Amino acid sequence: MNQTVPASLYVVATPIGNRGDFSARAKEILSSVSAVICEDTRRTGILLSELGMKNKLISYHDHNEKNRVQEIIKLLKNGDSIALVSDAGTPCISDPGYRIVRACQEEGIRVSSVPGACAAIGALSISGLPTDRFIFEGFLPPKGAKRSRRIDVILGSNCTSIVYESTHKIEKLLQELAEKAPDREVVIVRELTKTYEETLRGLAKDL
């Protein structure tokens, strides 16, 4: 076990599939902090167990985020060092976390980035689409007028847009794009860093 790191909130990226993408610094920080804030304690517990770690885990997700903030701030003010992780990838990117980061900054508590895997940037880097300007849209509204308007905004943009979509809705999204902009170039990236990583590229009407 390394010496305990200074009291800070460490925003730590975890692998999105390939464990080899876990940085040495991320492992060092996680082995040294007093506690780890995570979405799914079971999933994070398995990851830490694989690394030979047994950290205190604090559940932190969309449903309890507001109530957890002051508890975590109190621990940090008492001198604890804490890591924030998501189930996979970089925390706070379409995941809970920004409230605790903001609260720490407002309280004068140091927040440090431990960068690593990020599905959005990974997909962009192998898309073959322009990367000089891009917008990250995250997940679209599930249905209705809000979803339609959001798609219209994306299609009206003159820069590359990155969208997250679940496997059971990807066909619906492609149909919507094909109806609104059949000749729009689209790239689909799935299973990033995993054995069956796949990239599909073509026009919306063809895909």
Side-chain angles (χ1 to χ4, degrees):
M1 180 71 72
N2 295 320
Q3 183 178 358
T4 303
V5 292
S8 298
L9 177 70
Y10 294 90
V11 182
V12 181
T14 57
I16 57 177
N18 191 318
R19 290 288 194 261
D21 293 334
F22 220 156
S23 73
R25 180 169 174 244
K27 293 176 183 178
E28 180 182 5
I29 293 295
L30 289 176
S31 69
S32 305
V33 294
S34 305
V36 176
I37 308 168
C38 54
E39 294 176 83
D40 185 333
T41 55
R42 181 179 176 276
R43 185 166 182 170
T44 299
I46 292 172
L47 174 64
L48 295 178
S49 179
E50 290 177 0
L51 297 172
M53 304 175 192
K54 293 185 178 180
N55 301 66
K56 174 184 176 182
L57 300 178
I58 301 174
S59 173
Y60 188 80
H61 46 71
D62 286 331
H63 302 296
N64 72 358
E65 188 175 15
K66 290 182 180 179
N67 296 328
R68 285 287 198 209
V69 168
Q70 290 309 311
E71 173 189 343
I72 294 165
I73 291 294
K74 183 177 180 180
L75 290 172
L76 288 162
K77 284 188 171 182
N78 286 338
D80 287 347
S81 55
I82 296 177
L84 169 65
V85 303
S86 66
D87 284 348
T90 301
C92 305
I93 308 299
S94 278
D95 280 323
Y98 84 89
R99 288 188 178 90
I100 184 61
V101 170
R102 186 183 183 112
C104 285
Q105 292 170 342
E106 291 174 349
E107 293 288 342
I109 297 169
R110 180 185 174 193
V111 181
S112 295
S113 171
V114 185
C118 176
I121 298 303
L124 176 66
S125 70
I126 63 172
S127 69
L129 297 175
T131 58
D132 53 334
R133 293 182 63 233
F134 60 90
I135 296 174
F136 175 64
E137 293 285 347
F139 286 98
L140 300 177
K143 58 184 178 180
K146 287 185 178 179
R147 180 180 177 89
S148 182
R149 286 196 296 268
R150 185 89 164 268
I151 292 173
D152 287 340
V153 170
I154 291 171
L155 293 174
S157 173
N158 61 358
C159 63
T160 299
S161 297
I162 306 170
V163 176
Y164 284 169
E165 189 56 281
S166 62
T167 54
H168 64 279
K169 288 183 180 177
I170 189 67
E171 289 187 14
K172 175 185 177 183
L173 176 58
L174 287 171
Q175 289 170 356
E176 291 167 321
L177 294 175
E179 290 170 2
K180 292 173 175 287
D183 294 321
R184 182 67 171 248
E185 187 176 11
V186 178
V187 178
I188 302 171
V189 181
R190 72 178 193 99
E191 298 291 293
L192 265 171
T193 78
K194 301 176 185 178
T195 302
Y196 299 106
E197 178 179 308
E198 183 179 12
T199 301
L200 300 175
R201 182 179 292 103
L203 301 181
K205 62 184 179 183
D206 298 327
L207 288 177

